[in-house]
Amino acid sequence: MRIRATVAAVSGALALSALAVPAAQADDKPDHRVSPFAANAPQDEIEGDIKITKVVVNGGKNIVVGTTAAKTFKIAITATDPSGIEGGDQFLWHGSAFNENDIDGALLSEQEEADCVKASATTSTCTVSVTVDPQLDLYKNALAGTWKVWASVYAGDGDYVFKEIAGTARVQRYAKLTANASPEPVVKGKTITITGKLSRANWETSAYAGYTKQPVKLQFRKAGTSTYTTVKTVTSSSTGSLKTTVTAASDGYWRYSFAGTSTTPAVSAAGDYLDVR
C-alpha cells in the first residue's frame, strides 16, 4: 500500500525533527521544536544578524528516482552569525504554498537535527541525509519537478532564521532509452531502420511507461572515432516508440539521445554497432 506523503502524514515527524534553542534563551524566542505546520510556528522569520548563505541539495545535481529503489541525498545549509552556528534542520516540500492545505509532498530526514561542521568561528554548514522511496513518498507523477527547501538555523546567541523557501531542488522520473539498427550486416548505400523506445518511471503504477511526443536525436559515431553526430530528430510515438530510416554509409554506432525535461533527466541509448559492407 502506498503511503501518501501529505502534510497530515508528516506533521508528527516534523515536530520531532524541528530545532530547539537553549532553554536559557527560549523565553522570548519561538519554540523551535514545534512542527513547521503548527498554527503558532514561525514561517519566514529572522531574529538577529544570522544569515543563510548557501543551500546545496544532492551536491547540486537533480534527484532522479525510479520505480522501486530508494534514493539517498543530502541537504546542506551554510549559515553565518557572529556568535557561531549551533544547529539547524531542513527538508524538501512540494506544493503551491507552505500550509497544510497546499503542500502535497514532503521529504524528511531521519535525523533529529542536522550535523553542523564549522568552517570558521562564525560560519558552519549543517547537513541532513534524506532518503526518498518512490513507493512511499512519490505517490503521484505530478510530484516530479521543482521542490522547495524549508530551513531553520540557530546561533549561539539565540539568533535564528526560518525560511519557507531557502532554496530549490529538482526531483525527476528516471528515464530509459534504447536503440537498434537493422538489418545487419548491410550493404553500403542500402536503407537501414533504427528503432527504439523512450520510457520513464511512472510512480503511480511502479512501472516504466513510454514518454510520448518527445523530440529525440538520432546520432551516429563512425567506427574508430569518439564523437557522436546528430543526423536527425525523431518524435516519440504515443507509446514512446521511435523509428526512422537512413542510408548506410560506413561502419559505426547508432543511438538515440534525449535532452531531458524539467521532470525527466537526459538519457542516451547505448550505441548499436552496424557493420556496413
Side-chain angles (χ1 to χ4, degrees), residues 29-219:
K29 310 293 186 186
D31 181 0
H32 292 69
R33 287 199 184 277
V34 300
S35 164
F37 301 123
N40 63 337
Q43 304 301 316
D44 275 341
E45 186 173 320
I46 186 169
E47 173 74 20
D49 43 14
I50 188 173
K51 295 179 181 178
I52 293 175
T53 59
K54 189 176 183 180
V55 178
V56 179
V57 180
N58 196 36
K61 300 178 181 179
N62 294 335
I63 303 162
V64 180
V65 187
T67 58
T68 57
K71 171 82 173 183
T72 299
F73 62 93
K74 295 183 182 298
I75 307 174
I77 305 288
T78 302
T80 185
D81 185 88
S83 67
I85 301 299
E86 291 296 316
D89 191 21
Q90 54 258 25
F91 62 90
L92 294 185
W93 63 277
H94 185 274
S96 58
F98 194 83
N99 61 67
E100 61 181 309
N101 295 318
D102 296 314
I103 289 180
D104 58 2
L107 300 179
L108 312 173
S109 174
E110 294 291 333
Q111 299 171 222
E112 291 188 2
E113 193 169 314
D115 295 323
C116 295
V117 177
K118 289 185 177 181
S120 68
T122 60
T123 303
S124 295
T125 297
C126 298
T127 304
V128 298
S129 181
V130 179
T131 297
V132 51
D133 185 333
Q135 296 189 321
L136 297 178
D137 303 307
L138 303 175
Y139 65 95
K140 62 180 180 179
N141 293 324
L143 291 174
T146 300
W147 288 60
K148 293 96 168 177
V149 180
W150 182 92
S152 178
V153 185
Y154 65 92
D157 60 0
D159 289 353
Y160 61 86
V161 57
F162 286 89
K163 291 286 289 184
E164 290 180 6
I165 307 177
T168 60
R170 185 171 287 174
V171 180
Q172 296 181 312
R173 298 160 63 180
Y174 186 86
K176 298 179 179 181
L177 186 57
T178 61
N180 180 67
S182 63
E184 49 187 327
V186 66
V187 176
K188 184 176 181 179
K190 295 294 184 178
T191 298
I192 59 173
T193 301
I194 298 91
T195 57
K197 184 171 184 177
L198 175 64
S199 57
R200 60 176 177 167
N202 185 325
W203 294 331
E204 296 172 14
T205 63
S206 295
Y208 282 85
Y211 196 6
T212 67
K213 298 181 180 180
Q214 296 301 311
V216 182
K217 294 178 180 179
L218 174 67
Q219 298 182 327

Side-chain angles (χ1 to χ4, degrees), residues 3-25:
I3 301 174
R4 297 192 172 189
T6 60
V7 173
V10 302
S11 293
L14 290 173
L16 296 176
S17 65
L19 300 173
V21 293
Q25 301 168 354

